[in-house]
Amino acid sequence: MANQLEFNDDLQRDDSQSLQALVQNPEGDLHLSFFLESGGEFALPAMGIREVLALASDQITPIPNVSPFLLGVLNLRGEAVWVADIGQFLGEPKPISIDHAELPIIIIEAEDTMLGLAVASVKGMQWLESHLLSPVENLAPELAPFVVGEWRVSVVSSLESPLQLLEPASILRSERWVA
């Protein structure tokens, strides 16, 4: 069955000081950051995430004649949940590799609708302040409906590269799923 994905190295090492700082000193809102196959880093607000799983690719059942972004469905405690290649959905040229022992899946939820987003890797949870978001310069048109803004390294010192914030409800309601 599905295993809960362990988030970051600090938590895996049981570094209690890092965990206490994360829980006791929140600034902003909690977000989950992840990487696409191309190395691009994105974030989703924690409030839009139902759970994060690591699944063997054979636990996703392919469905013929559906959108090319959809990898198939998974059984999540008796509920059928579509799983999508979020990189392909956002315009990435390279599809996600399903040849790994486990594939990270982020289950997003809004208005009683769930969707699993297959990603290359999950970086972890972090507190980020929404007022520090900047508009994304040179944003690709296919990303515009889904990207709220980005946190820049020059503004958020804990970042290694710009981090773009995605809006889960916009992803779920997109007309791209029927194309």
Side-chain angles (χ1 to χ4, degrees), residues 46-70:
M47 294 301 293
I49 298 171
R50 179 161 179 177
E51 63 187 281
V52 178
L53 308 169
L55 299 175
S57 60
D58 65 355
Q59 290 182 282
I60 300 169
T61 304
I63 305 293
N65 303 319
V66 295
S67 169
F69 309 127
L70 293 170

PDB file of all heavy atoms in Angstrom, residues 46-70:
ATOM      1  N   ALA A  46      -0.018  24.517   1.838  1.00  0.00           N
ATOM      2  CA  ALA A  46      -0.345  23.306   2.588  1.00  0.00           C
ATOM      3  C   ALA A  46      -1.850  23.127   2.738  1.00  0.00           C
ATOM      4  O   ALA A  46      -2.343  21.999   2.770  1.00  0.00           O
ATOM      5  CB  ALA A  46       0.324  23.345   3.960  1.00  0.00           C
ATOM      6  N   MET A  47      -2.585  24.211   2.792  1.00  0.00           N
ATOM      7  CA  MET A  47      -4.035  24.130   2.959  1.00  0.00           C
ATOM      8  C   MET A  47      -4.717  23.465   1.760  1.00  0.00           C
ATOM      9  O   MET A  47      -5.831  22.991   1.889  1.00  0.00           O
ATOM     10  CB  MET A  47      -4.625  25.521   3.187  1.00  0.00           C
ATOM     11  CG  MET A  47      -4.189  26.152   4.496  1.00  0.00           C
ATOM     12  SD  MET A  47      -4.641  25.173   5.954  1.00  0.00           S
ATOM     13  CE  MET A  47      -6.406  25.321   5.900  1.00  0.00           C
ATOM     14  N   GLY A  48      -4.084  23.418   0.599  1.00  0.00           N
ATOM     15  CA  GLY A  48      -4.675  22.787  -0.575  1.00  0.00           C
ATOM     16  C   GLY A  48      -4.227  21.351  -0.772  1.00  0.00           C
ATOM     17  O   GLY A  48      -4.603  20.717  -1.758  1.00  0.00           O
ATOM     18  N   ILE A  49      -3.428  20.830   0.168  1.00  0.00           N
ATOM     19  CA  ILE A  49      -2.870  19.478   0.024  1.00  0.00           C
ATOM     20  C   ILE A  49      -3.560  18.531   0.996  1.00  0.00           C
ATOM     21  O   ILE A  49      -3.620  18.799   2.198  1.00  0.00           O
ATOM     22  CB  ILE A  49      -1.347  19.489   0.292  1.00  0.00           C
ATOM     23  CG1 ILE A  49      -0.654  20.378  -0.735  1.00  0.00           C
ATOM     24  CG2 ILE A  49      -0.794  18.067   0.266  1.00  0.00           C
ATOM     25  CD1 ILE A  49       0.802  20.619  -0.440  1.00  0.00           C
ATOM     26  N   ARG A  50      -4.048  17.432   0.467  1.00  0.00           N
ATOM     27  CA  ARG A  50      -4.669  16.425   1.336  1.00  0.00           C
ATOM     28  C   ARG A  50      -3.606  15.520   1.947  1.00  0.00           C
ATOM     29  O   ARG A  50      -3.637  15.216   3.128  1.00  0.00           O
ATOM     30  CB  ARG A  50      -5.676  15.610   0.547  1.00  0.00           C
ATOM     31  CG  ARG A  50      -6.314  14.538   1.396  1.00  0.00           C
ATOM     32  CD  ARG A  50      -7.569  14.035   0.826  1.00  0.00           C
ATOM     33  NE  ARG A  50      -8.114  12.986   1.665  1.00  0.00           N
ATOM     34  CZ  ARG A  50      -9.249  12.420   1.412  1.00  0.00           C
ATOM     35  NH1 ARG A  50      -9.959  12.785   0.388  1.00  0.00           N
ATOM     36  NH2 ARG A  50      -9.679  11.465   2.198  1.00  0.00           N
ATOM     37  N   GLU A  51      -2.672  15.050   1.119  1.00  0.00           N
ATOM     38  CA  GLU A  51      -1.566  14.232   1.623  1.00  0.00           C
ATOM     39  C   GLU A  51      -0.512  14.054   0.547  1.00  0.00           C
ATOM     40  O   GLU A  51      -0.726  14.382  -0.617  1.00  0.00           O
ATOM     41  CB  GLU A  51      -2.049  12.876   2.141  1.00  0.00           C
ATOM     42  CG  GLU A  51      -2.691  11.969   1.130  1.00  0.00           C
ATOM     43  CD  GLU A  51      -3.274  10.733   1.803  1.00  0.00           C
ATOM     44  OE1 GLU A  51      -2.482   9.813   2.118  1.00  0.00           O
ATOM     45  OE2 GLU A  51      -4.496  10.685   2.002  1.00  0.00           O
ATOM     46  N   VAL A  52       0.629  13.509   0.966  1.00  0.00           N
ATOM     47  CA  VAL A  52       1.737  13.226   0.065  1.00  0.00           C
ATOM     48  C   VAL A  52       2.074  11.745   0.207  1.00  0.00           C
ATOM     49  O   VAL A  52       2.202  11.242   1.319  1.00  0.00           O
ATOM     50  CB  VAL A  52       2.972  14.104   0.384  1.00  0.00           C
ATOM     51  CG1 VAL A  52       4.130  13.777  -0.532  1.00  0.00           C
ATOM     52  CG2 VAL A  52       2.618  15.581   0.304  1.00  0.00           C
ATOM     53  N   LEU A  53       2.189  11.079  -0.941  1.00  0.00           N
ATOM     54  CA  LEU A  53       2.452   9.639  -0.959  1.00  0.00           C
ATOM     55  C   LEU A  53       3.691   9.329  -1.779  1.00  0.00           C
ATOM     56  O   LEU A  53       4.096  10.136  -2.621  1.00  0.00           O
ATOM     57  CB  LEU A  53       1.279   8.892  -1.601  1.00  0.00           C
ATOM     58  CG  LEU A  53      -0.120   9.167  -1.083  1.00  0.00           C
ATOM     59  CD1 LEU A  53      -1.142   8.537  -2.012  1.00  0.00           C
ATOM     60  CD2 LEU A  53      -0.270   8.615   0.314  1.00  0.00           C
ATOM     61  N   ALA A  54       4.230   8.163  -1.562  1.00  0.00           N
ATOM     62  CA  ALA A  54       5.260   7.611  -2.438  1.00  0.00           C
ATOM     63  C   ALA A  54       4.744   6.246  -2.878  1.00  0.00           C
ATOM     64  O   ALA A  54       4.524   5.364  -2.051  1.00  0.00           O
ATOM     65  CB  ALA A  54       6.584   7.479  -1.703  1.00  0.00           C
ATOM     66  N   LEU A  55       4.492   6.114  -4.175  1.00  0.00           N
ATOM     67  CA  LEU A  55       3.882   4.893  -4.696  1.00  0.00           C
ATOM     68  C   LEU A  55       4.752   4.242  -5.750  1.00  0.00           C
ATOM     69  O   LEU A  55       5.430   4.930  -6.507  1.00  0.00           O
ATOM     70  CB  LEU A  55       2.540   5.210  -5.358  1.00  0.00           C
ATOM     71  CG  LEU A  55       1.434   5.812  -4.511  1.00  0.00           C
ATOM     72  CD1 LEU A  55       0.235   6.149  -5.389  1.00  0.00           C
ATOM     73  CD2 LEU A  55       1.022   4.841  -3.424  1.00  0.00           C
ATOM     74  N   ALA A  56       4.661   2.939  -5.828  1.00  0.00           N
ATOM     75  CA  ALA A  56       5.251   2.233  -6.965  1.00  0.00           C
ATOM     76  C   ALA A  56       4.389   2.562  -8.175  1.00  0.00           C
ATOM     77  O   ALA A  56       3.164   2.692  -8.059  1.00  0.00           O
ATOM     78  CB  ALA A  56       5.260   0.735  -6.698  1.00  0.00           C
ATOM     79  N   SER A  57       5.001   2.726  -9.330  1.00  0.00           N
ATOM     80  CA  SER A  57       4.251   3.116 -10.526  1.00  0.00           C
ATOM     81  C   SER A  57       3.179   2.090 -10.900  1.00  0.00           C
ATOM     82  O   SER A  57       2.177   2.445 -11.518  1.00  0.00           O
ATOM     83  CB  SER A  57       5.188   3.364 -11.704  1.00  0.00           C
ATOM     84  OG  SER A  57       5.910   2.203 -12.007  1.00  0.00           O
ATOM     85  N   ASP A  58       3.343   0.830 -10.496  1.00  0.00           N
ATOM     86  CA  ASP A  58       2.324  -0.169 -10.823  1.00  0.00           C
ATOM     87  C   ASP A  58       1.055  -0.017  -9.979  1.00  0.00           C
ATOM     88  O   ASP A  58       0.067  -0.697 -10.208  1.00  0.00           O
ATOM     89  CB  ASP A  58       2.880  -1.587 -10.732  1.00  0.00           C
ATOM     90  CG  ASP A  58       3.287  -2.004  -9.327  1.00  0.00           C
ATOM     91  OD1 ASP A  58       3.234  -1.160  -8.398  1.00  0.00           O
ATOM     92  OD2 ASP A  58       3.673  -3.173  -9.161  1.00  0.00           O
ATOM     93  N   GLN A  59       1.069   0.894  -9.007  1.00  0.00           N
ATOM     94  CA  GLN A  59      -0.132   1.181  -8.221  1.00  0.00           C
ATOM     95  C   GLN A  59      -1.006   2.236  -8.909  1.00  0.00           C
ATOM     96  O   GLN A  59      -2.074   2.567  -8.407  1.00  0.00           O
ATOM     97  CB  GLN A  59       0.235   1.638  -6.810  1.00  0.00           C
ATOM     98  CG  GLN A  59       0.820   0.513  -5.976  1.00  0.00           C
ATOM     99  CD  GLN A  59       1.128   0.966  -4.574  1.00  0.00           C
ATOM    100  OE1 GLN A  59       2.117   1.629  -4.317  1.00  0.00           O
ATOM    101  NE2 GLN A  59       0.241   0.631  -3.663  1.00  0.00           N
ATOM    102  N   ILE A  60      -0.545   2.747 -10.043  1.00  0.00           N
ATOM    103  CA  ILE A  60      -1.322   3.684 -10.846  1.00  0.00           C
ATOM    104  C   ILE A  60      -1.814   2.918 -12.068  1.00  0.00           C
ATOM    105  O   ILE A  60      -1.014   2.394 -12.842  1.00  0.00           O
ATOM    106  CB  ILE A  60      -0.470   4.898 -11.264  1.00  0.00           C
ATOM    107  CG1 ILE A  60       0.047   5.630 -10.030  1.00  0.00           C
ATOM    108  CG2 ILE A  60      -1.279   5.838 -12.159  1.00  0.00           C
ATOM    109  CD1 ILE A  60       1.102   6.683 -10.328  1.00  0.00           C
ATOM    110  N   THR A  61      -3.121   2.840 -12.214  1.00  0.00           N
ATOM    111  CA  THR A  61      -3.719   2.092 -13.315  1.00  0.00           C
ATOM    112  C   THR A  61      -3.928   3.010 -14.509  1.00  0.00           C
ATOM    113  O   THR A  61      -4.700   3.974 -14.417  1.00  0.00           O
ATOM    114  CB  THR A  61      -5.078   1.498 -12.881  1.00  0.00           C
ATOM    115  OG1 THR A  61      -4.875   0.707 -11.717  1.00  0.00           O
ATOM    116  CG2 THR A  61      -5.688   0.660 -13.991  1.00  0.00           C
ATOM    117  N   PRO A  62      -3.240   2.743 -15.628  1.00  0.00           N
ATOM    118  CA  PRO A  62      -3.431   3.579 -16.821  1.00  0.00           C
ATOM    119  C   PRO A  62      -4.860   3.451 -17.353  1.00  0.00           C
ATOM    120  O   PRO A  62      -5.459   2.379 -17.300  1.00  0.00           O
ATOM    121  CB  PRO A  62      -2.434   3.017 -17.834  1.00  0.00           C
ATOM    122  CG  PRO A  62      -1.524   2.137 -17.059  1.00  0.00           C
ATOM    123  CD  PRO A  62      -2.265   1.690 -15.837  1.00  0.00           C
ATOM    124  N   ILE A  63      -5.382   4.554 -17.870  1.00  0.00           N
ATOM    125  CA  ILE A  63      -6.719   4.590 -18.462  1.00  0.00           C
ATOM    126  C   ILE A  63      -6.556   5.063 -19.905  1.00  0.00           C
ATOM    127  O   ILE A  63      -5.996   6.129 -20.143  1.00  0.00           O
ATOM    128  CB  ILE A  63      -7.652   5.544 -17.692  1.00  0.00           C
ATOM    129  CG1 ILE A  63      -7.716   5.187 -16.205  1.00  0.00           C
ATOM    130  CG2 ILE A  63      -9.045   5.580 -18.327  1.00  0.00           C
ATOM    131  CD1 ILE A  63      -8.378   3.872 -15.874  1.00  0.00           C
ATOM    132  N   PRO A  64      -7.047   4.290 -20.880  1.00  0.00           N
ATOM    133  CA  PRO A  64      -6.887   4.703 -22.284  1.00  0.00           C
ATOM    134  C   PRO A  64      -7.809   5.866 -22.659  1.00  0.00           C
ATOM    135  O   PRO A  64      -8.831   6.096 -22.009  1.00  0.00           O
ATOM    136  CB  PRO A  64      -7.266   3.438 -23.060  1.00  0.00           C
ATOM    137  CG  PRO A  64      -8.142   2.664 -22.138  1.00  0.00           C
ATOM    138  CD  PRO A  64      -7.696   2.993 -20.736  1.00  0.00           C
ATOM    139  N   ASN A  65      -7.422   6.592 -23.699  1.00  0.00           N
ATOM    140  CA  ASN A  65      -8.230   7.648 -24.303  1.00  0.00           C
ATOM    141  C   ASN A  65      -8.573   8.790 -23.349  1.00  0.00           C
ATOM    142  O   ASN A  65      -9.699   9.290 -23.353  1.00  0.00           O
ATOM    143  CB  ASN A  65      -9.513   7.062 -24.907  1.00  0.00           C
ATOM    144  CG  ASN A  65      -9.217   5.997 -25.930  1.00  0.00           C
ATOM    145  OD1 ASN A  65      -8.300   6.130 -26.730  1.00  0.00           O
ATOM    146  ND2 ASN A  65      -9.978   4.916 -25.884  1.00  0.00           N
ATOM    147  N   VAL A  66      -7.603   9.188 -22.525  1.00  0.00           N
ATOM    148  CA  VAL A  66      -7.796  10.350 -21.655  1.00  0.00           C
ATOM    149  C   VAL A  66      -6.723  11.390 -21.998  1.00  0.00           C
ATOM    150  O   VAL A  66      -5.850  11.150 -22.826  1.00  0.00           O
ATOM    151  CB  VAL A  66      -7.719   9.983 -20.151  1.00  0.00           C
ATOM    152  CG1 VAL A  66      -8.859   9.056 -19.766  1.00  0.00           C
ATOM    153  CG2 VAL A  66      -6.383   9.372 -19.784  1.00  0.00           C
ATOM    154  N   SER A  67      -6.778  12.514 -21.347  1.00  0.00           N
ATOM    155  CA  SER A  67      -5.795  13.569 -21.557  1.00  0.00           C
ATOM    156  C   SER A  67      -4.376  13.004 -21.429  1.00  0.00           C
ATOM    157  O   SER A  67      -4.115  12.168 -20.553  1.00  0.00           O
ATOM    158  CB  SER A  67      -6.005  14.670 -20.517  1.00  0.00           C
ATOM    159  OG  SER A  67      -4.926  15.566 -20.523  1.00  0.00           O
ATOM    160  N   PRO A  68      -3.446  13.462 -22.279  1.00  0.00           N
ATOM    161  CA  PRO A  68      -2.070  12.955 -22.189  1.00  0.00           C
ATOM    162  C   PRO A  68      -1.369  13.331 -20.873  1.00  0.00           C
ATOM    163  O   PRO A  68      -0.352  12.741 -20.541  1.00  0.00           O
ATOM    164  CB  PRO A  68      -1.376  13.606 -23.387  1.00  0.00           C
ATOM    165  CG  PRO A  68      -2.240  14.740 -23.785  1.00  0.00           C
ATOM    166  CD  PRO A  68      -3.631  14.412 -23.363  1.00  0.00           C
ATOM    167  N   PHE A  69      -1.926  14.275 -20.141  1.00  0.00           N
ATOM    168  CA  PHE A  69      -1.336  14.667 -18.855  1.00  0.00           C
ATOM    169  C   PHE A  69      -1.641  13.649 -17.757  1.00  0.00           C
ATOM    170  O   PHE A  69      -0.982  13.622 -16.736  1.00  0.00           O
ATOM    171  CB  PHE A  69      -1.867  16.022 -18.382  1.00  0.00           C
ATOM    172  CG  PHE A  69      -1.786  17.111 -19.411  1.00  0.00           C
ATOM    173  CD1 PHE A  69      -2.898  17.853 -19.734  1.00  0.00           C
ATOM    174  CD2 PHE A  69      -0.589  17.402 -20.045  1.00  0.00           C
ATOM    175  CE1 PHE A  69      -2.830  18.869 -20.671  1.00  0.00           C
ATOM    176  CE2 PHE A  69      -0.511  18.409 -20.987  1.00  0.00           C
ATOM    177  CZ  PHE A  69      -1.635  19.141 -21.302  1.00  0.00           C
ATOM    178  N   LEU A  70      -2.675  12.841 -17.966  1.00  0.00           N
ATOM    179  CA  LEU A  70      -3.113  11.905 -16.933  1.00  0.00           C
ATOM    180  C   LEU A  70      -2.374  10.581 -17.053  1.00  0.00           C
ATOM    181  O   LEU A  70      -2.375   9.954 -18.103  1.00  0.00           O
ATOM    182  CB  LEU A  70      -4.622  11.690 -17.025  1.00  0.00           C
ATOM    183  CG  LEU A  70      -5.458  12.925 -16.690  1.00  0.00           C
ATOM    184  CD1 LEU A  70      -6.921  12.690 -17.046  1.00  0.00           C
ATOM    185  CD2 LEU A  70      -5.310  13.293 -15.229  1.00  0.00           C
TER     186      LEU A  70
END
